[in-house]
Amino acid sequence: MDIHFLMPLLFLAVLAALLGVEVIGKVPSLLHTPLMSGSNAISGITIVGALLAIGAENSDLATWIGFAAVIFASINVVGGYLVTDRMLGMFRKK
């Protein structure tokens, strides 16, 4: 894979991480649950994109990056679901 192809992707990854930290830091704790739901939806899109990247059979590197993306996005989706379920459980009548 060419370094000229990887540099914009690395720049986008760093920019997304910095933007994510900035957004999360400024959101009040009351709005974390809706933000987490949006994050789960984006992770679902990430899973679909990663599966398409794995299925494209481009290169071994793309397959491994897609595999890692599926793992990390799945962790985010499952963790978000568990936290949301726990929070909704606080509002159920006992």
Side-chain angles (χ1 to χ4, degrees), residues 8-41:
L9 295 177
L10 182 64
F11 175 75
L12 282 177
V14 171
L15 183 64
L18 292 175
L19 184 64
V21 168
E22 190 67 26
V23 167
I24 294 290
K26 295 195 187 276
V27 171
S29 61
L30 183 64
L31 297 177
H32 276 199
T33 301
L35 183 65
M36 189 171 52
S37 297
S39 173
N40 284 343

Side-chain angles (χ1 to χ4, degrees), residues 3 8 11 15 22 30 44 56-57 60 70 74 81 85 90 92:
I3 189 73
F11 175 75
L15 183 64
E22 190 67 26
L30 183 64
E57 299 178 11
D60 290 338
V70 168
S74 298
Y81 175 76
D85 188 52
M90 294 178 184
R92 290 185 190 125

Side-chain angles (χ1 to χ4, degrees), residues 1-91:
M1 193 167 283
D2 191 16
I3 189 73
H4 297 291
F5 179 73
L6 288 177
M7 289 305 289
L9 295 177
L10 182 64
F11 175 75
L12 282 177
V14 171
L15 183 64
L18 292 175
L19 184 64
V21 168
E22 190 67 26
V23 167
I24 294 290
K26 295 195 187 276
V27 171
S29 61
L30 183 64
L31 297 177
H32 276 199
T33 301
L35 183 65
M36 189 171 52
S37 297
S39 173
N40 284 343
I42 292 171
S43 291
I45 295 170
T46 302
I47 290 173
V48 171
L51 289 174
L52 289 174
I54 290 172
E57 299 178 11
N58 290 332
S59 69
D60 290 338
L61 181 63
T63 301
W64 284 107
I65 290 174
F67 180 72
V70 168
I71 297 295
F72 289 129
S74 298
I75 290 171
N76 190 28
V77 168
V78 171
Y81 175 76
L82 292 175
V83 169
T84 302
D85 188 52
R86 182 175 176 184
M87 290 180 73
L88 290 176
M90 294 178 184
F91 295 104

